[in-house]
């Protein structure tokens, strides 16, 4: 029973709401809007940079990806192990020297 | 034809001719006002409509030629209304849920099958809009805008998803919840009116 009444009430509300769209909407104070827009000035040229980014830079992304993959491959091929070994040699010396300090 | 003309104007405005925007403003002010008047109280409508055009001007560099200007502007108008309610709800006081005698009388007339008023008169009564606003004021900004667009205006899920930028599934879930909440608000009103009658 209540559901039926809710349905009736919502249907009336729908009609009432839709009447708002049919009444005279009235005019906007155009002069006021244009004053606000003029005070903002011409649209910034920075937007062009974003458009350029969107149109051009994204097209280069596949090439950039290939470059990153090649660079990663080259890095794995470099002989960085030798540097590590040299570094660990110094570390070992340090440990020995410290250990010697505690020898009576 | 009109789309081409609009695009030319947009190009001119982006190129630095700010005054060219007045053509778009005059052409679409009625359309924007219609959207605004449906969602926002009359006393705030003019200010909100002005905001729509200022936002549109600032967003012109993002306007894509493949879109038509009118639907693009409609999206800005609906989102401005949504933002209006979000700001307003942040600072609102607790909404009034008790009905006045005048509203109860109207409800009694509506709900009784032997009403002396015609359906047309009932719909046009000031109380109808006031009660609708009272109910809508008890919803959140999201629920309010979705209920207005889907249930009161009758737009499809796809149309609403384009206007608000939400997914269709999200629109469906929110619209279902909003309708449920509206029913929860209306039920005690009906019970109160029924109780008063007996």
């Amino acid at each position: 029973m209540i559901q039926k009444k809710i349905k009736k009430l919502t249907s009336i509300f729908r009609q009432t709401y839709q009447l708002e769209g049919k009444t005279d909407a009235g005019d906007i104070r155009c002069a006021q809007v244009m004053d606000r827009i003029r005070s903002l000035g011409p649209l910034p040229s920075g937007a062009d940079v974003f458009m350029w980014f969107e149109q051009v830079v994204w097209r280069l992304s596949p090439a950039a990806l290939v470059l990153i993959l090649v660079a990663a491959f080259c890095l794995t091929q470099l002989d960085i192990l030798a540097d590590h070994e040299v570094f660990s040699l110094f570390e070992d010396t340090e440990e020995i020297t410290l250990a010697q300090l505690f020898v009576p | 034809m009109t789309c081409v003309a609009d695009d030319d104007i947009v190009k001119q405005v982006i190129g630095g001719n700010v005054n060219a925007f007045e053509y778009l403003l005059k052409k679409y002010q009625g359309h924007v006002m219609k959207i605004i008047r449906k969602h926002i109280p009359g006393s705030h409508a003019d200010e909100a409509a002005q905001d729509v055009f200022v936002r549109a001007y600032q967003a012109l560099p993002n306007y894509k030629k493949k879109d038509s200007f009118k639907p693009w502007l409609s999206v800005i108008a609906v989102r401005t209304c949504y933002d209006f309610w979000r700001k307003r709800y942040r600072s609102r006081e607790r909404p009034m849920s008790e009905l006045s005698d005048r509203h109860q009388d109207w409800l009694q007339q509506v709900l009784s099958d032997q009403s002396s008023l015609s359906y047309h008169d009932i719909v046009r009564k000031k109380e109808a809009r006031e009660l609708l606003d009272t109910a809508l004021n008890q919803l959140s900004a999201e629920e309010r805008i979705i209920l207005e667009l889907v249930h009161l205006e009758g737009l499809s899920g796809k149309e609403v998803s384009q206007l608000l930028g939400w997914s269709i599934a999200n629109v469906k879930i929110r619209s279902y919840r909003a309708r449920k909440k509206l029913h929860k608000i209306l039920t005690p009103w009906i019970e109160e009116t029924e109780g008063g009658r007996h």
Side-chain angles (χ1 to χ4, degrees):
Chain A
M1 189 68 175
I2 284 208
Q3 287 303 318
K4 206 176 159 189
K5 287 186 173 170
I6 286 175
K7 214 172 173 186
K8 189 177 180 184
L9 201 54
T10 46
S11 154
I12 289 167
F13 283 155
R14 195 175 304 122
Q15 298 288 320
T16 307
Y17 182 85
Q18 282 169 1
L19 272 178
E20 292 281 319
K22 287 175 190 158
T23 51
D24 183 31
D27 287 338
I28 302 170
R29 272 166 273 174
C30 293
Q32 250 177 12
V33 183
M34 283 314 291
D35 282 348
R36 282 176 68 181
I37 284 170
R38 282 189 198 104
S39 72
L40 291 170
L43 291 163
S45 54
D48 294 339
V49 176
F50 285 114
M51 279 173 81
W52 178 79
F53 186 83
E54 199 178 305
Q55 287 167 4
V56 180
V57 178
W58 280 110
R59 289 186 188 169
L60 297 174
S61 59
L65 183 72
V66 170
L67 268 175
I68 290 167
L69 288 173
V70 169
F73 178 74
C74 289
L75 270 173
T76 55
Q77 297 301 305
L78 281 175
D79 192 16
I80 51 168
L81 195 67
D83 290 342
H84 173 72
E85 274 171 357
V86 171
F87 188 71
S88 67
L89 193 70
F90 284 112
E91 269 186 340
D92 287 346
T93 329
E94 221 170 319
E95 273 174 26
I96 293 161
T97 330
L98 279 171
Q100 279 171 347
L101 281 173
F102 295 100
V103 175
Chain B
M1 183 71 186
T2 48
C3 287
V4 176
D6 288 347
D7 286 346
D8 287 343
I9 301 292
V10 170
K11 225 185 252 175
Q12 281 182 38
V13 178
I14 292 173
N17 182 6
V18 179
N19 292 329
F21 190 78
E22 197 164 359
Y23 169 81
L24 295 172
L25 170 63
K26 286 190 170 156
K27 186 175 175 184
Y28 292 110
Q29 61 168 330
H31 174 68
V32 168
M33 262 313 225
K34 255 187 185 173
I35 296 173
I36 297 286
R37 283 288 296 272
K38 274 191 202 167
H39 298 284
I40 287 178
S43 53
H44 298 276
D46 186 60
E47 203 188 325
Q50 286 189 28
D51 287 344
V52 171
F53 281 102
V54 172
R55 276 179 169 204
Y57 173 74
Q58 289 174 313
L60 272 186
N62 302 326
Y63 169 72
K64 291 186 180 78
K65 260 189 177 178
K66 61 178 179 183
D67 305 327
S68 172
F69 190 78
K70 200 175 174 182
W72 182 78
L73 192 63
S74 305
V75 170
I76 295 178
V78 169
R79 291 185 190 178
T80 305
C81 295
Y82 175 47
D83 288 343
F84 170 86
W85 287 114
R86 280 207 304 183
K87 273 186 211 158
R88 205 172 160 88
Y89 278 26
R90 245 177 261 154
S91 57
R92 75 172 166 174
E93 290 167 15
R94 203 161 169 255
M96 200 184 74
S97 56
E98 276 183 23
L99 301 181
S100 68
D101 290 343
R102 194 163 50 88
H103 291 142
Q104 278 195 350
D105 288 346
W106 180 85
L107 267 175
Q108 261 178 7
Q109 277 188 324
V110 167
L111 299 174
S112 69
D113 294 326
Q114 298 98 25
S115 172
S116 57
L117 290 170
S118 70
Y119 187 77
H120 183 77
D121 290 335
I122 284 170
V123 167
R124 283 182 176 273
K125 276 265 181 189
K126 200 171 72 177
E127 285 81 359
R129 183 68 218 198
E130 285 171 356
L131 270 176
L132 174 61
D133 286 336
T134 309
L136 292 175
N137 280 338
Q138 292 179 52
L139 302 172
S140 70
E142 289 86 5
E143 289 163 345
R144 181 182 188 124
I145 199 84
I146 205 96
L147 196 95
E148 287 185 354
L149 293 170
V150 177
H151 298 290
L152 299 177
E153 223 165 297
L155 298 182
S156 71
K158 195 181 170 192
E159 285 170 319
V160 176
S161 104
Q162 280 165 352
L163 283 171
L164 292 171
W166 300 348
S167 68
I168 296 178
N170 201 357
V171 168
K172 281 182 182 171
I173 291 168
R174 283 177 193 229
S175 102
Y176 173 78
R177 284 184 190 154
R179 194 162 56 94
K180 279 265 165 201
K181 200 164 171 184
L182 180 73
H183 286 196
K184 249 185 186 173
I185 294 164
L186 297 182
T187 306
W189 290 3
I190 293 168
E191 283 170 350
E192 209 177 308
T193 313
E194 296 276 290
R197 207 191 292 170
H198 296 303

